[in-house]
């Protein structure tokens, strides 16, 4: 993992609002359905070398409260779908975690690493709860960027 200072990035995609407790219940989970929708309706519109992201923002409080989730890309535009929403990755300092493996398990495992890191008593970083994101580098690599103070 490494700390990086990142610039803002404007993205477009599908949006939902959820909380981690709901995501643990398949009947209430909203993240998987927006990724399914992204795969069916947005991915076919992508051309060139698109970057695909899962963005987490607008935190109600911390990891226990509500937050916004976007399945999005830098190669989509608002005029492609009435359902698309805009999101901006906020500029600032991020702690970047990376992993390679089979999707979606590699993403699940990397989030477990992120949770473990930030819940450790001796964790040297504090989450900012501004913008966090997953960037899907290719078919088997993901990076998770957590905004830090």
């Amino acid at each position: 993992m490494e700390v990086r200072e990142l610039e803002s990035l404007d993205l477009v995609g599908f949006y939902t609002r959820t909380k981690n407790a709901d995501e643990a219940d398949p009947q209430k989970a909203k993240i998987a359905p927006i990724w399914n929708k992204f795969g069916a309706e947005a991915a076919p519109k992508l051309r060139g070398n698109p970057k695909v992201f899962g963005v987490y923002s607008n935190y109600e409080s911390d990891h226990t409260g509500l937050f916004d989730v976007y399945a999005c890309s830098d190669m989509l535009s608002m005029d492609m779908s009435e359902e698309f929403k805009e999101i901006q990755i906020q500029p600032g300092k991020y702690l970047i975690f990376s992993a390679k493996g089979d999707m979606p398990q590699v993403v699940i495992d990397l989030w477990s690493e992120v949770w473990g890191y930030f819940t450790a008593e001796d964790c040297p970083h504090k989450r900012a709860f501004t913008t966090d994101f997953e960037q899907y580098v290719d078919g088997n690599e993901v990076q998770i960027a957590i905004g830090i103070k």
Side-chain angles (χ1 to χ4, degrees):
M1 91 190 81
E2 68 176 300
V3 174
R4 283 192 219 151
E5 192 74 30
L6 300 179
E7 308 237 344
S8 66
L9 180 61
D10 295 323
L11 303 166
V12 172
F14 293 114
Y15 151 88
T16 192
R17 188 151 176 86
T18 190
K19 60 184 174 181
N20 286 321
D22 288 350
E23 292 305 309
D25 179 349
Q27 299 299 317
K28 295 180 182 177
K30 296 179 180 178
I31 295 175
I34 67 160
W35 277 110
N36 291 339
K37 186 176 182 88
F38 183 90
E41 298 176 30
K45 298 176 184 197
L46 296 174
R47 301 286 180 259
N49 253 343
K51 294 178 183 170
V52 175
F53 297 84
V55 179
Y56 304 81
S57 67
N58 196 19
Y59 288 93
E60 178 180 63
S61 55
D62 57 15
H63 65 280
T64 62
L66 289 165
F67 53 91
D68 295 344
V69 180
Y70 292 80
C72 51
S73 175
D74 63 339
M75 298 296 269
L76 296 172
S77 64
M78 292 294 291
D79 61 352
M80 291 178 165
S81 171
E82 290 180 3
E83 294 183 66
F84 282 168
K85 303 289 183 201
E86 295 175 307
I87 181 63
Q88 182 181 72
I89 291 176
Q90 297 299 308
K93 194 184 324 183
Y94 288 83
L95 187 59
I96 312 294
F97 297 79
S98 299
K100 290 183 179 184
D102 293 330
M103 298 288 177
Q105 191 61 48
V106 68
V107 179
I108 295 165
D109 293 345
L110 192 55
W111 271 111
S112 292
E113 181 181 330
V114 169
W115 287 113
Y117 178 83
F118 283 103
T119 57
E121 286 186 29
D122 60 346
C123 181
H125 298 101
K126 297 287 181 210
R127 288 186 66 183
F129 290 102
T130 51
T131 309
D132 304 316
F133 63 90
E134 305 154 350
Q135 181 176 354
Y136 295 90
V137 179
D138 61 33
N140 71 340
E141 183 178 357
V142 64
Q143 292 182 342
I144 297 177
I146 304 295
I148 56 175
K149 296 180 179 180

